PDB file of all heavy atoms in Angstrom:
ATOM      1  N   LEU A 144      -6.389   3.812  -6.740  1.00  0.00           N
ATOM      2  CA  LEU A 144      -7.792   3.862  -6.333  1.00  0.00           C
ATOM      3  C   LEU A 144      -8.182   5.221  -5.784  1.00  0.00           C
ATOM      4  O   LEU A 144      -7.397   5.897  -5.121  1.00  0.00           O
ATOM      5  CB  LEU A 144      -8.069   2.827  -5.232  1.00  0.00           C
ATOM      6  CG  LEU A 144      -7.723   1.363  -5.456  1.00  0.00           C
ATOM      7  CD1 LEU A 144      -8.140   0.552  -4.238  1.00  0.00           C
ATOM      8  CD2 LEU A 144      -8.404   0.838  -6.696  1.00  0.00           C
ATOM      9  N   ASP A 145      -9.434   5.611  -6.074  1.00  0.00           N
ATOM     10  CA  ASP A 145     -10.098   6.669  -5.326  1.00  0.00           C
ATOM     11  C   ASP A 145     -11.562   6.249  -5.201  1.00  0.00           C
ATOM     12  O   ASP A 145     -11.935   5.169  -5.695  1.00  0.00           O
ATOM     13  CB  ASP A 145      -9.902   8.052  -5.980  1.00  0.00           C
ATOM     14  CG  ASP A 145     -10.552   8.208  -7.342  1.00  0.00           C
ATOM     15  OD1 ASP A 145     -11.555   7.507  -7.631  1.00  0.00           O
ATOM     16  OD2 ASP A 145     -10.079   9.050  -8.127  1.00  0.00           O
ATOM     17  N   PRO A 146     -12.428   7.019  -4.553  1.00  0.00           N
ATOM     18  CA  PRO A 146     -13.804   6.551  -4.372  1.00  0.00           C
ATOM     19  C   PRO A 146     -14.568   6.313  -5.667  1.00  0.00           C
ATOM     20  O   PRO A 146     -15.589   5.616  -5.661  1.00  0.00           O
ATOM     21  CB  PRO A 146     -14.446   7.685  -3.559  1.00  0.00           C
ATOM     22  CG  PRO A 146     -13.318   8.316  -2.829  1.00  0.00           C
ATOM     23  CD  PRO A 146     -12.164   8.249  -3.776  1.00  0.00           C
ATOM     24  N   HIS A 147     -14.091   6.849  -6.778  1.00  0.00           N
ATOM     25  CA  HIS A 147     -14.835   6.756  -8.032  1.00  0.00           C
ATOM     26  C   HIS A 147     -14.148   5.926  -9.108  1.00  0.00           C
ATOM     27  O   HIS A 147     -14.796   5.528 -10.081  1.00  0.00           O
ATOM     28  CB  HIS A 147     -15.086   8.166  -8.588  1.00  0.00           C
ATOM     29  CG  HIS A 147     -15.797   9.064  -7.648  1.00  0.00           C
ATOM     30  ND1 HIS A 147     -17.143   8.950  -7.369  1.00  0.00           N
ATOM     31  CD2 HIS A 147     -15.345  10.092  -6.885  1.00  0.00           C
ATOM     32  CE1 HIS A 147     -17.492   9.868  -6.479  1.00  0.00           C
ATOM     33  NE2 HIS A 147     -16.424  10.571  -6.174  1.00  0.00           N
ATOM     34  N   ASN A 148     -12.855   5.662  -8.984  1.00  0.00           N
ATOM     35  CA  ASN A 148     -12.114   5.026 -10.066  1.00  0.00           C
ATOM     36  C   ASN A 148     -11.081   4.024  -9.557  1.00  0.00           C
ATOM     37  O   ASN A 148     -10.504   4.213  -8.487  1.00  0.00           O
ATOM     38  CB  ASN A 148     -11.360   6.084 -10.889  1.00  0.00           C
ATOM     39  CG  ASN A 148     -12.268   7.166 -11.426  1.00  0.00           C
ATOM     40  OD1 ASN A 148     -12.983   6.962 -12.403  1.00  0.00           O
ATOM     41  ND2 ASN A 148     -12.264   8.326 -10.766  1.00  0.00           N
ATOM     42  N   ARG A 149     -10.856   2.996 -10.374  1.00  0.00           N
ATOM     43  CA  ARG A 149      -9.703   2.112 -10.218  1.00  0.00           C
ATOM     44  C   ARG A 149      -8.964   2.124 -11.553  1.00  0.00           C
ATOM     45  O   ARG A 149      -9.555   1.844 -12.598  1.00  0.00           O
ATOM     46  CB  ARG A 149     -10.122   0.690  -9.847  1.00  0.00           C
ATOM     47  CG  ARG A 149      -8.917  -0.262  -9.760  1.00  0.00           C
ATOM     48  CD  ARG A 149      -9.278  -1.575  -9.076  1.00  0.00           C
ATOM     49  NE  ARG A 149     -10.271  -2.344  -9.801  1.00  0.00           N
ATOM     50  CZ  ARG A 149     -10.787  -3.498  -9.355  1.00  0.00           C
ATOM     51  NH1 ARG A 149     -10.419  -3.969  -8.170  1.00  0.00           N
ATOM     52  NH2 ARG A 149     -11.693  -4.148 -10.067  1.00  0.00           N
ATOM     53  N   ILE A 150      -7.685   2.447 -11.500  1.00  0.00           N
ATOM     54  CA  ILE A 150      -6.902   2.640 -12.710  1.00  0.00           C
ATOM     55  C   ILE A 150      -5.759   1.639 -12.721  1.00  0.00           C
ATOM     56  O   ILE A 150      -5.030   1.503 -11.731  1.00  0.00           O
ATOM     57  CB  ILE A 150      -6.341   4.078 -12.779  1.00  0.00           C
ATOM     58  CG1 ILE A 150      -7.475   5.105 -12.650  1.00  0.00           C
ATOM     59  CG2 ILE A 150      -5.576   4.299 -14.084  1.00  0.00           C
ATOM     60  CD1 ILE A 150      -6.996   6.526 -12.454  1.00  0.00           C
ATOM     61  N   ARG A 151      -5.599   0.956 -13.848  1.00  0.00           N
ATOM     62  CA  ARG A 151      -4.509  -0.007 -14.017  1.00  0.00           C
ATOM     63  C   ARG A 151      -3.956   0.091 -15.434  1.00  0.00           C
ATOM     64  O   ARG A 151      -4.621   0.617 -16.334  1.00  0.00           O
ATOM     65  CB  ARG A 151      -5.007  -1.437 -13.772  1.00  0.00           C
ATOM     66  CG  ARG A 151      -5.275  -1.743 -12.315  1.00  0.00           C
ATOM     67  CD  ARG A 151      -5.745  -3.166 -12.110  1.00  0.00           C
ATOM     68  NE  ARG A 151      -7.162  -3.298 -12.407  1.00  0.00           N
ATOM     69  CZ  ARG A 151      -7.892  -4.365 -12.058  1.00  0.00           C
ATOM     70  NH1 ARG A 151      -7.340  -5.370 -11.441  1.00  0.00           N
ATOM     71  NH2 ARG A 151      -9.173  -4.424 -12.359  1.00  0.00           N
ATOM     72  N   LEU A 152      -2.768  -0.428 -15.637  1.00  0.00           N
ATOM     73  CA  LEU A 152      -2.210  -0.624 -16.969  1.00  0.00           C
ATOM     74  C   LEU A 152      -2.274  -2.104 -17.293  1.00  0.00           C
ATOM     75  O   LEU A 152      -1.939  -2.940 -16.445  1.00  0.00           O
ATOM     76  CB  LEU A 152      -0.758  -0.141 -17.038  1.00  0.00           C
ATOM     77  CG  LEU A 152      -0.501   1.348 -16.811  1.00  0.00           C
ATOM     78  CD1 LEU A 152       0.991   1.651 -16.957  1.00  0.00           C
ATOM     79  CD2 LEU A 152      -1.310   2.220 -17.767  1.00  0.00           C
ATOM     80  N   ILE A 153      -2.703  -2.430 -18.516  1.00  0.00           N
ATOM     81  CA  ILE A 153      -2.814  -3.834 -18.904  1.00  0.00           C
ATOM     82  C   ILE A 153      -2.215  -4.041 -20.298  1.00  0.00           C
ATOM     83  O   ILE A 153      -2.162  -3.115 -21.114  1.00  0.00           O
ATOM     84  CB  ILE A 153      -4.275  -4.336 -18.892  1.00  0.00           C
ATOM     85  CG1 ILE A 153      -5.126  -3.559 -19.905  1.00  0.00           C
ATOM     86  CG2 ILE A 153      -4.865  -4.233 -17.494  1.00  0.00           C
ATOM     87  CD1 ILE A 153      -6.514  -4.159 -20.107  1.00  0.00           C
ATOM     88  N   ARG A 154      -1.765  -5.272 -20.542  1.00  0.00           N
ATOM     89  CA  ARG A 154      -1.344  -5.661 -21.884  1.00  0.00           C
ATOM     90  C   ARG A 154      -1.559  -7.159 -22.035  1.00  0.00           C
ATOM     91  O   ARG A 154      -1.760  -7.876 -21.045  1.00  0.00           O
ATOM     92  CB  ARG A 154       0.115  -5.287 -22.125  1.00  0.00           C
ATOM     93  CG  ARG A 154       1.121  -5.968 -21.244  1.00  0.00           C
ATOM     94  CD  ARG A 154       2.513  -5.476 -21.608  1.00  0.00           C
ATOM     95  NE  ARG A 154       3.495  -5.856 -20.600  1.00  0.00           N
ATOM     96  CZ  ARG A 154       4.717  -5.351 -20.557  1.00  0.00           C
ATOM     97  NH1 ARG A 154       5.102  -4.456 -21.448  1.00  0.00           N
ATOM     98  NH2 ARG A 154       5.554  -5.722 -19.612  1.00  0.00           N
ATOM     99  N   GLY A 155      -1.518  -7.636 -23.277  1.00  0.00           N
ATOM    100  CA  GLY A 155      -1.774  -9.055 -23.507  1.00  0.00           C
ATOM    101  C   GLY A 155      -3.246  -9.366 -23.304  1.00  0.00           C
ATOM    102  O   GLY A 155      -4.112  -8.792 -23.952  1.00  0.00           O
ATOM    103  N   GLY A 156      -3.541 -10.269 -22.387  1.00  0.00           N
ATOM    104  CA  GLY A 156      -4.923 -10.638 -22.095  1.00  0.00           C
ATOM    105  C   GLY A 156      -5.318 -10.254 -20.684  1.00  0.00           C
ATOM    106  O   GLY A 156      -4.486 -10.275 -19.763  1.00  0.00           O
ATOM    107  N   PHE A 157      -6.581  -9.897 -20.509  1.00  0.00           N
ATOM    108  CA  PHE A 157      -7.063  -9.500 -19.182  1.00  0.00           C
ATOM    109  C   PHE A 157      -8.553  -9.824 -19.100  1.00  0.00           C
ATOM    110  O   PHE A 157      -9.306  -9.583 -20.047  1.00  0.00           O
ATOM    111  CB  PHE A 157      -6.851  -7.999 -18.966  1.00  0.00           C
ATOM    112  CG  PHE A 157      -7.067  -7.544 -17.548  1.00  0.00           C
ATOM    113  CD1 PHE A 157      -6.036  -7.609 -16.622  1.00  0.00           C
ATOM    114  CD2 PHE A 157      -8.299  -7.064 -17.134  1.00  0.00           C
ATOM    115  CE1 PHE A 157      -6.229  -7.195 -15.309  1.00  0.00           C
ATOM    116  CE2 PHE A 157      -8.501  -6.651 -15.826  1.00  0.00           C
ATOM    117  CZ  PHE A 157      -7.461  -6.718 -14.911  1.00  0.00           C
ATOM    118  N   THR A 158      -8.958 -10.369 -17.955  1.00  0.00           N
ATOM    119  CA  THR A 158     -10.371 -10.683 -17.715  1.00  0.00           C
ATOM    120  C   THR A 158     -10.883  -9.839 -16.560  1.00  0.00           C
ATOM    121  O   THR A 158     -10.263  -9.788 -15.491  1.00  0.00           O
ATOM    122  CB  THR A 158     -10.559 -12.179 -17.392  1.00  0.00           C
ATOM    123  OG1 THR A 158     -10.107 -12.961 -18.501  1.00  0.00           O
ATOM    124  CG2 THR A 158     -12.024 -12.488 -17.127  1.00  0.00           C
TER     125      THR A 158
END
Side-chain angles (χ1 to χ4, degrees):
L144 305 182
D145 66 26
H147 303 286
N148 304 283
R149 177 166 63 183
I150 305 169
R151 287 181 279 194
L152 296 182
I153 62 170
R154 63 180 167 192
F157 191 86
T158 299

